[in-house]
Amino acid sequence: MATTRRKASGQQSNALAPENSTIEQLVHYYREMLLIRRFEEKAGQMYGMGLIGGFCHLYIGQEAVVIGMQGSLVDGDSVVTSYRDHGHMLACGMEARGVMAELTGRRDGYSRGKGGSMHMFSVEKGFFGGHGIVAAQVPIGTGLGFAHKYKEDGKVAVTYLGDGAVNQGQVYESFNMASLWHLPVVYVIENNLYGMGTSVARASAVTELYRRGESFGIPGFAVDGMDVRTVRGAAEFAVEHARSGKGPILLEMKTYRFRGHSMSDPAKYRSKDELNRMKAERDPIELVKKLLIDSGEWDEAKLKGIDREIKDIVVDAADFAQENPEPDPSELWTDVLVES
């Protein structure tokens, strides 16, 4: 029997205007996205050397999403995400040294070397973890939104999930509660087109993921997740919607990862032509670089200076992580239960 794919009209990305960025803002975006890119490249290198164990999911290609979103948040807002979390931590202001130390399982990592790539946490930075179970962070993010509303602190919870998580049942239980109680949650679907190795078209009956909250009365918008200015404009709108008491909102960030799902993924499910085209035409860092050069205020030499600064930060983080001692065996018994 032939199947019919359902399509329906919904709210589109043209309802959200891109930010009219200043040169100073573009430089900030360039620097922050480049930090994530260079950090992830170094993490991939260290994984290949056997210095990082377990799973390692890189964020290369998706940098504009978290940098654009983070710029709209204030101190006290909450962020929670999945296991592709290194970029989110850096965007939240967590130090490259601490993140890399955690990746390598060292004592001064953000989870004392016990969480690794997929499980880091920082109360001080409002980062409530990367989570290794698909979609597990969605009810947690909804709970963070409930806490903000209960405390009447005027803060919002930004909850990131991937296109591979949107078909999980707890996502819709969370949507229902968030809408019912008008919780200040911004759900950000990072649609990089492939949930592990399966394309969205093969996994989702409705591929317009911004529509996934419709049955719960949650407005949704599709956003160009490769343009940091567009992300920032959408973020300002969505965060203000949630912060002003209008309830949850959903943003589908149409993005693309330039590496496989994880370091062990050869990514044979997509063509080299597709990957090369996306790198050549849609790299979010190159887009901002071109804007800066076209402005006449920046040139290749000045931008290379930023790159050198960023590389120094990343090399320092890698050196620190390798020199840092492993956690004491007694740490196996800490942070298991809350002690009165």
Side-chain angles (χ1 to χ4, degrees):
M1 174 186 269
T3 59
T4 301
R5 191 173 298 282
R6 300 188 302 278
K7 289 187 179 292
S9 61
Q11 292 166 290
Q12 301 291 331
S13 57
N14 58 14
L16 305 178
E19 177 193 64
N20 186 19
S21 306
T22 65
I23 294 298
E24 290 74 18
Q25 287 170 317
L26 290 175
V27 172
H28 171 75
Y29 297 149
Y30 182 78
R31 186 185 298 274
E32 294 301 302
M33 289 194 293
L34 195 61
L35 174 59
I36 295 174
R37 179 71 57 90
R38 296 291 180 251
F39 183 95
E40 294 290 64
E41 289 170 347
K42 177 60 75 172
Q45 180 185 21
M46 293 176 71
Y47 187 92
M49 295 167 62
L51 297 172
I52 296 174
F55 291 98
C56 185
H57 305 81
L58 303 182
Y59 200 60
I60 294 174
Q62 300 182 215
E63 297 92 348
V65 175
V66 72
I67 294 303
M69 286 299 307
Q70 195 65 28
S72 67
L73 302 184
V74 300
D75 289 344
D77 289 337
S78 303
V79 173
V80 66
T81 190
S82 69
Y83 42 77
R84 196 180 305 279
D85 55 1
H86 313 157
H88 300 74
M89 290 181 281
L90 294 171
C92 286
M94 295 167 71
E95 295 291 333
R97 277 187 165 197
V99 178
M100 194 68 84
E102 188 59 43
L103 289 178
T104 53
R106 302 307 174 105
R107 185 184 64 191
D108 290 327
Y110 272 100
S111 295
R112 299 180 186 173
K114 299 185 290 184
S117 173
M118 298 194 294
H119 304 97
M120 287 187 239
F121 191 93
S122 175
V123 174
E124 295 78 13
K125 298 298 182 181
F127 182 76
F128 287 84
H131 294 266
I133 302 300
V134 175
Q137 74 277 13
V138 180
I140 293 172
T142 304
L144 291 168
F146 179 86
H148 288 312
K149 180 162 186 179
Y150 184 83
K151 292 187 288 187
E152 298 182 342
D153 59 12
K155 308 303 181 183
V156 303
V158 177
T159 303
Y160 293 90
L161 63 153
D163 53 278
V166 295
N167 296 316
Q168 295 291 316
Q170 67 247 43
V171 172
Y172 301 98
E173 294 176 274
S174 299
F175 284 178
N176 183 59
M177 287 188 286
S179 185
L180 184 65
W181 298 329
H182 302 287
L183 302 183
V185 184
V186 180
Y187 295 104
V188 181
I189 301 174
E190 298 194 69
N191 180 6
N192 60 31
L193 306 185
Y194 298 97
M196 294 188 71
T198 304
S199 70
V200 173
R202 292 182 58 207
S204 297
V206 174
T207 57
E208 301 94 337
L209 303 185
Y210 61 87
R211 296 181 51 228
R212 289 304 185 97
E214 284 182 353
S215 61
F216 305 100
I218 299 176
F221 297 86
V223 182
D224 179 1
M226 302 301 274
D227 186 338
V228 68
R229 301 166 302 166
T230 304
V231 174
R232 180 60 185 271
E236 293 287 350
F237 174 86
V239 170
E240 174 57 27
H241 175 99
R243 203 183 301 283
S244 63
K246 296 177 182 176
I249 188 169
L250 190 154
L251 299 177
E252 178 194 353
M253 297 292 175
K254 293 180 177 292
T255 185
Y256 196 86
R257 51 177 165 80
F258 293 165
R259 297 289 186 94
H261 171 73
S262 69
M263 286 297 296
S264 61
D265 175 17
K268 294 182 177 179
Y269 43 82
R270 60 185 181 185
S271 70
K272 289 184 178 179
D273 287 343
E274 175 187 301
L275 178 59
N276 291 335
R277 184 178 69 254
M278 291 297 292
K279 286 182 176 180
E281 299 176 3
R282 302 292 291 143
D283 188 318
I285 298 176
E286 290 299 316
L287 187 154
V288 174
K289 180 179 180 180
K290 183 178 186 302
L291 290 171
L292 288 170
I293 292 174
D294 289 348
S295 73
E297 297 187 35
W298 284 76
D299 57 22
E300 287 278 359
K302 290 174 69 176
L303 291 171
K304 284 182 179 178
I306 292 179
D307 201 354
R308 285 192 295 270
E309 293 173 17
I310 295 300
K311 285 181 178 177
D312 287 345
I313 293 171
V314 171
V315 169
D316 172 74
D319 290 343
F320 174 79
Q322 292 175 75
E323 295 166 1
N324 199 240
E326 294 182 352
D328 188 272
S330 64
E331 285 290 333
L332 283 171
W333 309 106
T334 63
D335 304 316
V336 177
L337 299 173
V338 176
E339 298 179 4
S340 60

